Amino acid sequence: DAGVIQSPRHEVTEMGQEVTLRCKPISGHDYLFWYRQTMMRGLELLIYFNNNVPIDDSGMPEDRFSAKMPNASFSTLKIQPSEPRDSAVYFCASTPLAGGPTSTDTQYFGPGTRLTVL
Amino acid sequence: KQEVTQIPAALSVPEGENLVLNCSFTDSAIYNLQWFRQDPGKGLTSLLLIQSSQREQTSGRLNASLDKSSGRSTLYIAASQPGDSATYLCAARGHGQNFVFGPGTRLSVLP
């Protein structure tokens, strides 16, 4: 398997523009996560999906952020309108079915998308 | 709310030295704790996962321990090598699939 795939790897945009980040999880994985990493705040969970259904979006910072997972092999994170403070590295991760406290739910991360909003 | 901290923030050691990285978490009601490695400009790679019922896990030169009652985990690296240079993050999994990450320890192993 090619692992978790993210595109684009780098994105530079101007304030106010719409940004769409894309993720293809590992085939067969039931959970998909979106994270944001900054120097100031570290790695933060934004939202995660189980079987394409959003389960917890409490980490999404504002209504400007939205995420979708139309099928098991594709997810998007959209920022509209973008602001300079959204500049960060955005990671997508997936994990196999997690059955509870004793399950092995190792997360597999993509290479990330480095977003710069000018 | 779970909070995860890591000490030290950065560490520089000569090649061959054994070292310990520390991770602390405030809520002991965790399902598991994972250690990850992150190379510059790359994603995270899972190194070890310790279930809440376990005390330690080993993989090669790496050994991770977990003490839920004290809210602590340590990552022990034996005979460090320059290739071990990276940032190491720990993450505590609580209810559901909520993973809370620590800020990381930046390790430099000097040849």
Side-chain angles (χ1 to χ4, degrees), chain B residues 66-87:
Chain B
L66 175 65
D67 184 343
K68 280 184 55 178
S69 61
S70 66
R72 296 175 63 179
S73 177
T74 61
L75 179 66
Y76 175 83
I77 303 177
S80 58
Q81 303 171 358
D84 295 330
S85 298
T87 297

Side-chain angles (χ1 to χ4, degrees), chain A residues 9 31 33 35 37 42-45 48 56 58 91 95 98-112 114, chain B residues 1 31-32 34 36 38 41-49 51-53 89 93 95-103 106:
Chain A
R9 293 294 311 277
Y31 287 82
F33 303 79
Y35 291 92
Q37 187 175 41
L43 196 65
E44 303 173 284
L45 176 65
Y48 74 88
D56 186 348
S58 60
F91 288 104
T95 190
T102 59
S103 66
T104 54
D105 49 1
T106 297
Q107 293 204 323
Y108 296 84
F109 278 75
R114 181 174 295 277
Chain B
K1 178 183 176 183
Y31 280 171
N32 61 47
Q34 295 191 42
F36 293 84
Q38 185 175 27
K42 302 290 180 61
L44 280 70
T45 301
S46 180
L47 298 172
L48 289 166
L49 181 151
Q51 300 291 355
S52 60
S53 58
L89 297 93
R93 181 200 163 196
H95 176 69
Q97 289 289 329
N98 291 329
F99 290 82
V100 179
F101 282 79
R106 190 171 66 253

Side-chain angles (χ1 to χ4, degrees), chain A residues 9-107:
Chain A
R9 293 294 311 277
H10 302 274
E11 176 81 31
V12 180
T13 190
E14 294 187 346
M15 183 173 63
Q17 295 298 307
E18 177 180 297
V19 175
T20 299
L21 310 181
R22 297 172 177 80
C23 174
K24 175 179 169 54
I26 293 174
S27 177
H29 282 193
D30 294 286
Y31 287 82
L32 182 140
F33 303 79
W34 282 101
Y35 291 92
R36 177 172 68 175
Q37 187 175 41
T38 62
M39 288 293 293
M40 290 296 296
R41 300 175 66 89
L43 196 65
E44 303 173 284
L45 176 65
L46 300 177
I47 185 173
Y48 74 88
F49 296 82
N50 178 20
N51 291 325
N52 314 336
V53 176
I55 302 299
D56 186 348
D57 65 354
S58 60
M60 296 285 263
E62 299 173 32
D63 291 344
R64 299 183 296 106
F65 286 69
S66 63
K68 294 182 180 180
M69 193 166 185
N71 57 63
S73 59
F74 183 66
S75 177
T76 60
L77 178 66
K78 184 177 295 185
I79 308 173
Q80 166 63 21
S82 58
E83 297 182 2
R85 61 192 168 122
D86 301 331
S87 297
V89 180
Y90 291 81
F91 288 104
C92 176
S94 68
T95 190
L97 175 64
T102 59
S103 66
T104 54
D105 49 1
T106 297
Q107 293 204 323

